[in-house]
Amino acid sequence: MSIGHTLLGLLESGPRHGYDLKRAFDEKFGHDRPLHYGQVYSTMSRLLKNGLVEVDGIEAGGGPERKRYAVTEAGVTDVARWLATPEKPEPYLQSTLYTKVVLALLTERDAADILDTQRSEHLRSMRALTERKRKGDLADQLICDHALFHLEADLRWLELTAARLDKLREAVAR
């Protein structure tokens, strides 16, 4: 996820302080990975330097000055371009799990055990996501569905690999 583009998009509804941006980000996108304040302010500094935001006002208070940021026209254009650009599908051609299975075969360990252990972990994760989806709002349901579909694809791969272990053992032994 592009944090900079996300913060720019949040600013399109109106100027905000860094604290307000962090809170809005965490509410909408950061359920599992909230932003750190330092990340917000370093990102805003970079966006300011690149002309994508401007300081809309500075408020003095009991603590440090609070800058209020506003998105510039260049920032709006940048977000529009980012939104219109499709994400590159990740083919996962060099996954860690595949590497573990091949190394287990090469070192004469039980690759089936690795696949079984991973299957159990995937199922545990799917149960937790299903529970979260059941209790969550629409946004939570959609993000859980996305994760569940990926885990289902992984499970299909685990089953297919388990069925082909003998052939894979022969292929990697050459």
Side-chain angles (χ1 to χ4, degrees), residues 5-157:
H5 287 112
T6 306
L7 295 177
L8 285 172
L10 290 171
L11 281 172
E12 284 194 37
S13 65
R16 298 182 192 211
H17 297 97
Y19 174 83
D20 297 327
L21 284 168
K22 179 202 174 344
R23 192 177 62 224
F25 182 97
D26 290 351
E27 279 178 18
K28 301 292 184 196
F29 311 107
H31 293 280
D32 296 317
R33 262 194 228 164
L35 281 180
H36 296 287
Y37 285 104
Q39 214 173 354
V40 172
Y41 292 110
S42 65
T43 301
M44 296 312 295
S45 177
R46 182 177 43 80
L47 294 173
L48 186 64
K49 185 177 94 179
N50 293 335
L52 302 175
V53 297
E54 60 191 8
V55 175
D56 185 60
I58 298 176
E59 298 173 10
E65 292 181 334
R66 292 180 44 173
K67 293 179 185 173
R68 189 175 56 241
Y69 298 96
V71 66
T72 63
E73 284 302 314
V76 171
T77 301
D78 197 53
V79 170
R81 186 178 316 115
W82 179 68
L83 289 172
T85 304
E87 291 297 309
K88 182 179 182 211
E90 295 294 330
Y92 303 113
L93 293 177
Q94 283 297 323
S95 78
T96 303
L97 184 54
Y98 173 78
T99 301
K100 286 182 174 186
V101 170
V102 170
L103 281 175
L105 293 172
L106 288 172
T107 59
E108 299 182 11
R109 288 181 171 92
D110 192 349
D113 280 351
I114 292 170
L115 294 170
D116 288 341
T117 300
Q118 192 62 51
R119 184 182 303 104
S120 295
E121 185 61 21
H122 269 62
L123 291 171
R124 184 202 60 73
S125 183
M126 291 175 81
R127 283 189 295 274
L129 284 166
T130 300
E131 181 64 16
R132 176 177 166 181
K133 177 182 167 182
R134 189 179 65 74
K135 294 178 179 178
D137 60 10
L138 180 59
D140 236 14
Q141 292 169 11
L142 290 171
I143 197 68
C144 287
D145 279 339
H146 187 263
L148 284 164
F149 293 149
H150 281 271
L151 290 171
E152 287 173 5
D154 287 350
L155 282 176
R156 288 194 310 269
W157 181 84

